[in-house]
Amino acid sequence: MPENQARIPEPPREGAPGLSGDGTTAEADARTADAEADARTADAEVVAGSAAAAPGRRSSAPKAEPGAPSQLFVWLKEIATVVVIAVVLSFLIKTFLFRAFYIPSESMVSTLDVNDRIFVNLLVPEPFALSRGDVVVFKDNQGWLTAAPEEESGPFTWVQDGLTFVGLLPDNSEQHLVKRVIGLPGDHVICCDAGGKLTINGSPIDESYVNTDEQPQVRAFDVVVPEGKIWVMGDNRNHSADSRSHLDSNGGFVDLEDVEGKAAVIAWPLNRITVLDNHSKVFSDVPAGG
């Protein structure tokens, strides 16, 4: 019988799977391992990117720097800036345009009530001139009022004084008065004619602004208003110590330079907010004074 010969393995064919062209397997295995590692790295990057974009996952946005200002500090800074601007604007308005005053007496009822707060136009009498019928606030430089007693200073008096100074609170000083302008420089004012009416430069006037709750008492006077001065009277005639009551002090006249301004608006209380009227029709027929 023929002998069984040992089987000789065939040489590997060129290009067979898992082998290199020169027949070595080590380099082929290495290349395969590298390819698998690259694939795993790419998959890991895709998964990581998906995790960062998924909702509810931790954000990869940079955190605020430790030295950055807090939101509270920024908010307080903005509030402080607004307050400073408001105070400066109030001071400028109070100094050049409008000023608030408090009405402590009944001399101007029913035009102005006790405790009314009014805004006064500081542009009158300069650069804008006064008119008959204007309600004016003026400093008491003629001694019409008794000296105001010194108020005791409390722990917060400086706060009230500061707010009044910048115009955020009305001036509660009793050394100012508020009255209506009846006579301008050169006017001849007389009380009263045969019908009990006030006359200005010979023309009688119907004073529609006078308080009608009481019949005004007749207090005779006959004056010619000098240059640089005005004659003033309260609308509540029986309760007003006005020019009629101070004939022995500067003739009862008010110096124009003492006039703070023209009362323009009742600002408080809310149910009395209104623009004040100078009743120009009452004086429309009055001729110019000498």
Side-chain angles (χ1 to χ4, degrees):
M1 294 181 63
E3 295 180 357
N4 291 331
Q5 296 180 352
R7 186 174 180 178
I8 301 174
E10 295 181 358
R13 292 188 299 272
E14 186 176 356
L19 298 177
S20 63
D22 57 3
T24 62
T25 62
E27 293 183 3
D29 292 341
R31 285 194 295 270
T32 302
D34 289 342
E36 292 175 353
D38 290 342
R40 285 193 299 271
T41 301
D43 292 341
E45 290 177 352
V46 172
V47 172
S50 300
R57 302 290 181 87
R58 182 176 296 176
S59 173
S60 60
K63 296 181 179 180
E65 297 181 2
S70 66
Q71 286 296 112
L72 178 61
F73 175 79
V74 173
W75 181 77
L76 291 176
K77 182 178 179 181
E78 291 179 354
I79 293 297
T81 301
V82 171
V83 170
V84 170
I85 292 174
V87 169
V88 171
L89 287 177
S90 178
F91 176 76
L92 293 175
I93 290 172
K94 172 248 182 181
T95 303
F96 300 107
L97 296 177
F98 290 93
R99 185 176 175 186
F101 282 91
Y102 162 78
I103 305 300
S105 74
E106 59 179 344
S107 68
M108 286 296 292
V109 172
S110 58
T111 301
L112 298 174
D113 284 345
V114 178
N115 296 327
D116 279 354
R117 269 68 169 173
I118 60 174
F119 282 131
V120 172
N121 181 359
L122 303 181
L123 299 179
V124 178
E126 290 182 356
F128 302 105
L130 282 173
S131 299
R132 299 184 191 93
D134 286 346
V135 176
V136 295
V137 172
F138 56 94
K139 293 176 286 188
D140 179 30
N141 286 336
Q142 304 300 328
W144 289 15
L145 298 171
T146 57
E150 293 186 5
E151 297 182 0
E152 295 183 2
S153 298
F156 299 103
T157 301
W158 63 273
V159 177
Q160 180 177 344
D161 292 343
L163 293 176
T164 301
F165 176 75
V166 299
L168 293 177
L169 283 181
D171 191 341
N172 293 329
S173 171
E174 295 183 355
Q175 300 311 112
H176 289 84
L177 299 102
V178 56
K179 307 292 179 187
R180 189 178 297 275
V181 176
I182 302 299
L184 294 174
D187 284 345
H188 187 189
V189 187
I190 299 176
C191 179
C192 292
D193 65 4
K197 293 183 178 180
L198 200 68
T199 67
I200 304 175
N201 302 328
S203 178
I205 59 174
D206 292 314
E207 298 182 280
S208 57
Y209 43 78
V210 170
N211 182 21
T212 57
D213 290 343
E214 299 180 16
Q215 181 65 33
Q217 299 174 358
V218 175
R219 299 171 63 180
F221 60 87
D222 185 338
V223 298
V224 176
V225 183
E227 190 66 28
K229 302 180 187 298
I230 55 176
W231 179 269
V232 298
M233 299 173 70
D235 291 353
N236 197 10
R237 292 290 161 83
N238 295 343
H239 304 275
S240 176
D242 47 42
S243 289
R244 301 167 300 166
S245 302
H246 300 282
L247 294 174
D248 57 345
S249 174
N250 198 29
F253 304 111
V254 175
D255 294 337
L256 277 173
E257 62 184 15
D258 291 338
V259 176
E260 294 278 8
K262 170 187 172 181
V265 175
I266 299 175
W268 187 265
L270 295 178
N271 63 343
R272 285 183 49 78
I273 291 178
T274 187
V275 176
L276 291 173
D277 188 3
N278 70 350
H279 297 271
S280 58
K281 291 183 178 180
V282 172
F283 305 90
S284 61
D285 295 329
V286 174

